[in-house]
Amino acid sequence: MSMQIVFATNNKNKIKEVQSLVPEHIKLLSLEDIGCHEEIPETTGTIEGNAQQKANYVKDNYGYDCFADDTGLEVEALNGEPGVDTAYYAGPQRNPDDNMNKLLSNLKNATSRSAQFKTVIALHLNGELKTFTGICKGEITTEKQGYKGFGYDPIFKAKDYTKTFAEISLEEKNKIGHRGKAVSQLIEFLNQF
């Protein structure tokens, strides 16, 4: 039995990453696929709240079962920054290089570079809302390394790894990464259907 579900994003990288992980009978639709072109509000102040808000928005306004994720990079020395503001850390332009440069600058004199990526997926399915959380602990490097991936990948090194997320394969990143962990919980749940 095939199933269609909306992944509340237009980020082609994220869709590709997650589609490669979900069972074949599940087809992911993007926001563009359902004609949702407006900016979905993310105003709750928490990663969990934003994921739930996006999933509810699609269900309430478009009628589709949906899952939405929100991811934050939490840096210990910066009291959890950028956190919920990860995508907009250096301003509304959402520029990954600007965001990384600001983070590296803010960590210039830090003794600890410990950080974690946290992804929360909120799934609105059959009238119920469920959440799945994936965390990947690691550290922020002192300079950008690698060209794969997106976002903060060139400056994040997972615990026990010598390479950044931007230097390892997508398959490897999915195995150890925050989104991969949250998605595997989601998939385990979806496999029941």
Side-chain angles (χ1 to χ4, degrees), residues 178-189:
H178 47 293
R179 188 170 297 107
K181 288 176 181 176
V183 169
S184 67
Q185 295 168 42
L186 170 73
I187 289 162
E188 200 175 309
F189 181 78

Side-chain angles (χ1 to χ4, degrees), residues 40-193:
I40 297 179
E42 295 180 57
T43 55
T44 70
T46 67
I47 293 167
E48 293 82 355
N50 283 350
Q52 292 169 359
Q53 187 178 23
K54 289 189 277 190
N56 288 335
Y57 184 92
V58 170
K59 184 67 177 174
D60 294 346
N61 292 283
Y62 292 87
Y64 286 91
D65 282 333
C66 170
F67 67 91
D69 76 325
D70 198 32
T71 295
L73 176 60
E74 300 171 330
V75 180
E76 201 176 276
L78 301 176
N79 300 315
E81 277 185 21
V84 75
D85 296 319
T86 294
Y88 304 94
Y89 194 45
Q93 72 278 14
R94 299 172 75 152
N95 181 291
D97 279 318
D98 293 349
N99 289 338
M100 286 187 282
N101 292 339
K102 178 177 179 179
L103 185 61
L104 291 172
S105 172
N106 287 347
L107 281 176
K108 207 169 43 214
N109 301 316
T111 50
S112 165
R113 301 185 80 81
S114 293
Q116 68 178 23
F117 265 120
K118 176 180 176 181
T119 292
V120 176
I121 295 176
L123 170 68
H124 209 305
L125 183 67
N126 303 330
E128 285 188 59
L129 187 66
K130 296 214 170 296
T131 57
F132 309 92
T133 303
I135 288 174
C136 181
K137 294 188 177 296
E139 63 180 28
I140 303 300
T141 58
T142 54
E143 57 188 36
K144 298 173 198 168
Q145 297 163 237
Y147 301 97
K148 297 177 189 157
F150 58 98
Y152 293 80
D153 286 357
I155 62 168
F156 183 81
K157 203 185 304 181
K159 190 173 187 280
D160 300 325
Y161 272 71
T162 56
K163 294 179 175 181
T164 67
F165 270 1
E167 296 175 294
I168 62 176
S169 69
L170 179 58
E171 294 72 33
E172 201 169 358
K173 183 182 167 192
N174 281 339
K175 258 189 255 163
I176 63 164
H178 47 293
R179 188 170 297 107
K181 288 176 181 176
V183 169
S184 67
Q185 295 168 42
L186 170 73
I187 289 162
E188 200 175 309
F189 181 78
L190 289 175
N191 274 330
Q192 302 169 50
F193 296 91

